[in-house]
Amino acid sequence: MMFATAPRRRLSFLAILTILSTFVLSGITTAAHADEIMDRVNSGKSIRIGFANEVPWAYPGENQKPLGFVNAITMGVLKSMGYTNIEPVVTDWGGLIPGLKANRFDVITGGMYIMKNRCDNVNFSEPIGVFGECFIVPKGNPKGLGSYDDIKTKNAVIVTGAGYSTIENAKRAGVPAGNIMTVPGNSEILAAIKAGRADAGGMTYFSALHLSRESGGTVEATDPSLNPEWTFNWVGVGFRKADTEFLAAFNTALKAYLGSDEMMKAVQEYGYGNSQLPGDVTTAYVCENR
């Protein structure tokens, strides 16, 4: 009896160990793959969205209220997902990706182009729009600068923002590094043009249009179609690499929201229209080709 009973007890003990080990390992796996955003939401904390002062893309209003069409789209999608506890965090443009990676916020808006080097650091949502680049130039465009090729052939100086895709695009077009000036953001770009320290200010068409209106007629925006097709870019909302579960849910909600009457009404005041809708282009494609 003793020999018959002992093996049965041993098997039962091993079975218990196996079951316990499975639960422990399962718990470890779940913890390792848990989204930080989901953890915050489930614990009753806010979703922190980071953005810079980039009119009309994303910028702070009174009490740092998130304004701009990228913020409008992002908050519209989050609301459709049932999330309304949103905390805006305003920073400089160059601090968006480092701040996201350092867990200072959970989502970055700001009108950030989806680019291969950025895709290595953050996960982007599916595109929320497609946009071209142009310049602000002194009224009348005295040097006739409409494209990166013009900048190169006329040995002009272009000023742009630190971290802007304009820097890499100018280099790709053959503009010498010595002809590319970088400043913190759009207000400094405008100041450089007004002071005559640069001949053209490189930025997105929406930003250039806004600055031309705010400048009192001292600068004007060039036609983005004068630049080559490869300068057109798609914008996405940025997430940490670990937050894959939340990103998947966001993309599902984005697909239903993008181009809807509700969305188009929310972004109309910022100048976003049907021509900015991204169509069928995917983030995977853009990460490989931009």
Side-chain angles (χ1 to χ4, degrees):
M1 291 291 294
M2 290 179 62
F3 289 104
T5 303
R8 284 200 295 270
R9 288 177 179 171
R10 187 177 181 185
L11 285 172
S12 298
F13 179 68
L14 290 174
I16 291 171
L17 281 178
T18 301
I19 293 170
L20 288 174
S21 298
T22 301
F23 278 121
V24 170
L25 289 173
S26 176
I28 292 172
T29 303
T30 301
H33 291 283
D35 286 11
E36 290 191 38
I37 301 181
M38 297 301 293
D39 289 344
R40 288 184 61 85
V41 169
N42 292 336
S43 64
K45 295 180 180 178
S46 62
I47 296 176
R48 302 163 300 175
I49 62 170
F51 55 94
N53 189 4
E54 297 287 336
V55 182
W57 303 79
Y59 59 99
E62 187 175 352
N63 296 321
Q64 293 194 331
K65 179 181 179 181
L67 301 177
F69 65 82
V70 183
N71 278 336
I73 293 171
T74 302
M75 291 190 298
V77 173
L78 291 174
K79 182 180 178 181
S80 74
M81 297 169 68
Y83 304 127
T84 56
N85 185 10
I86 308 299
E87 177 186 349
V89 183
V90 182
T91 186
D92 60 275
W93 177 266
L96 287 174
I97 290 179
L100 180 69
K101 296 177 72 173
N103 199 30
R104 289 195 288 272
F105 23 79
D106 308 298
V107 180
I108 52 176
T109 58
M112 185 167 286
Y113 287 163
I114 302 169
M115 300 175 67
K116 185 176 293 186
N117 62 333
R118 291 174 179 163
C119 295
D120 292 337
N121 290 284
V122 302
N123 280 344
F124 283 101
S125 69
E126 291 302 328
I128 64 165
V130 58
F131 309 92
E133 291 181 349
C134 70
F135 312 134
I136 57 168
V137 293
K139 187 174 178 60
N141 197 2
K143 291 194 174 181
L145 303 173
S147 67
Y148 288 114
D149 191 57
D150 291 336
I151 300 287
K152 178 181 67 174
T153 58
K154 298 181 181 183
N155 196 33
V157 174
I158 182 172
V159 59
T160 189
Y164 286 18
S165 62
T166 320
I167 299 170
E168 294 305 316
N169 285 343
K171 290 178 179 178
R172 178 176 172 181
V175 177
N179 288 47
I180 303 172
M181 179 192 304
T182 58
V183 294
N186 286 345
S187 60
E188 291 82 6
I189 293 174
L190 178 60
I193 298 299
K194 284 184 172 182
R197 293 187 290 116
D199 304 303
M203 60 189 66
T204 66
Y205 175 67
F206 275 113
S207 297
L209 195 61
H210 170 74
L211 288 183
S212 68
R213 292 169 177 171
E214 294 293 313
S215 72
T218 59
V219 302
E220 61 185 61
T222 61
D223 182 354
S225 67
L226 297 176
N227 274 315
E229 185 275 337
W230 56 260
T231 63
F232 281 77
N233 290 278
W234 288 262
V235 164
V237 178
F239 296 83
R240 283 183 294 266
K241 284 289 188 179
D243 293 333
T244 54
E245 180 184 348
F246 192 90
L247 174 58
F250 185 92
N251 278 333
T252 298
L254 174 64
K255 185 175 181 180
Y257 184 74
L258 196 64
S260 66
D261 290 342
E262 180 183 355
M263 180 200 129
M264 299 309 288
K265 182 179 179 180
V267 299
Q268 183 178 16
E269 65 178 290
Y270 302 112
Y272 184 110
N274 289 327
S275 60
Q276 278 75 54
L277 290 170
D280 296 328
V281 175
T282 66
T283 292
Y285 168 84
V286 183
C287 283
E288 287 297 319
N289 292 276
R290 285 295 184 269

